Amino acid sequence: MIKKILIVDDSLVARMMIQNSIPTDKGYEVLVAFNGKEGVEKYRQHKPDVTFMDLTMPELDGFTAIEQILAFDSNAIIIALTADIQSKSILRVTELGAFAVVQKPAKPDIIQGVLKDVAFKLRHTGA
């Protein structure tokens, strides 16, 4: 079951688009971080059920943040967010262990679909 969601993006507009795409009737606690470094810190502090991670950010990029989070918690579910749709970037983030890659700007139906996929995975893995 999804209870906590962390959104990590340096863009206020992108954070709001993701946050506004998350259903409000599910009782999710939504946390935000403004860069990868803060995202890693908030992940360690709150251990969210799912993390939306931008890949291009100051201080610590999303690729490195994903590596650090998965080193801390190998079961972390991370959704990579990127405007870079080059197959090389998508392959890299998938190899790092991202659960999914969502193209920015993220559409509400895509965000909701990914959340359903995460909820399904959590139900069937006992997490």
Side-chain angles (χ1 to χ4, degrees):
M1 173 186 268
I2 299 172
K3 294 177 185 168
K4 290 184 199 171
I5 298 171
L6 173 61
I7 302 169
V8 185
D9 201 308
D10 60 318
S11 164
L12 172 62
V13 172
R15 285 192 312 272
M16 293 306 298
M17 287 180 74
I18 300 298
Q19 197 160 359
N20 290 336
S21 298
I22 295 171
T24 57
D25 63 342
K26 304 280 187 193
Y28 299 136
E29 178 183 353
V30 179
L31 309 159
V32 297
F34 308 105
N35 59 54
K37 182 179 180 206
E38 184 182 7
V40 171
E41 291 168 2
K42 284 203 173 182
Y43 186 91
R44 288 179 181 196
Q45 191 175 36
H46 298 281
K47 206 157 183 237
D49 302 296
V50 62
T51 300
F52 287 94
M53 179 72 68
D54 183 26
L55 295 180
T56 308
M57 294 179 287
E59 290 198 50
L60 188 69
D61 67 37
F63 295 103
T64 307
I66 289 170
E67 286 177 316
Q68 290 183 9
I69 288 171
L70 289 171
F72 172 74
D73 177 6
S74 62
N75 294 315
I77 297 175
I78 302 172
I79 312 304
L81 303 167
T82 185
D84 181 358
I85 58 167
Q86 295 180 49
S87 58
K88 182 173 89 172
S89 297
I90 293 170
L91 179 62
R92 180 176 174 206
V93 78
T94 303
E95 286 175 343
L96 287 173
F99 179 79
V101 180
V102 173
Q103 184 178 351
K104 289 172 79 173
K107 294 178 173 47
D109 59 325
I110 300 296
I111 296 300
Q112 292 166 17
V114 169
L115 288 173
K116 285 180 185 175
D117 292 346
V118 170
F120 180 84
K121 175 187 167 118
L122 292 174
R123 271 195 310 274
H124 290 83
T125 59

